[in-house]
Amino acid sequence: SAREGATQCLTGGATVSLKHGATQCFEYGATGSSKNGATQCSTDGAKDGLKNGATACLNDGTTGCLKDGATEVLQDGATGSSRDGATQCLKNGATGSLRYGVTQCLKDGA
């Protein structure tokens, strides 16, 4: 479902909910929720929750949660949570949680 100026692109059975001008693109069964101007891109079964202008790109079965302008890139089964402007990059099954403007990059199961 999309409302109030939201924009979305869905393919391959993806499921999504958008409101308040959020923009996202989902493919191949990805599941996500965006609100308050959040932007996200999810592919290949990724799960994503974004709000308050957060930006995320998730693929290959990753799970991420972003809020308050955080930026996050997750790949290959990584799990991450970012908020309050934090930036992180997770790959290859790494797990991370960031807040308050911290920046990190994790890979290979870190």
Side-chain angles (χ1 to χ4, degrees):
S1 69
R3 62 182 180 177
E4 298 178 31
T7 302
Q8 66 184 342
C9 170
L10 300 179
T11 60
T15 303
V16 70
S17 176
L18 296 181
K19 59 184 176 179
H20 302 305
T23 303
Q24 67 185 350
C25 183
F26 279 162
E27 300 178 357
Y28 307 114
T31 302
S33 176
S34 293
K35 59 184 176 179
N36 300 337
T39 302
Q40 69 183 347
C41 173
S42 294
T43 60
D44 301 323
K47 295 182 182 182
D48 198 348
L50 297 181
K51 58 185 177 178
N52 300 337
T55 302
C57 184
L58 303 180
N59 56 18
D60 301 323
T62 60
T63 302
C65 180
L66 299 181
K67 58 185 176 178
D68 301 323
T71 302
E72 181 165 5
V73 178
L74 300 180
Q75 300 178 325
D76 302 319
T79 301
S81 177
S82 294
R83 61 183 174 177
D84 302 318
T87 302
Q88 74 181 342
C89 172
L90 301 179
K91 299 182 182 180
N92 301 332
T95 302
S97 178
L98 295 183
R99 63 172 85 176
Y100 306 122
V102 175
T103 301
Q104 78 179 348
C105 185
L106 299 178
K107 25 176 140 171
D108 300 323

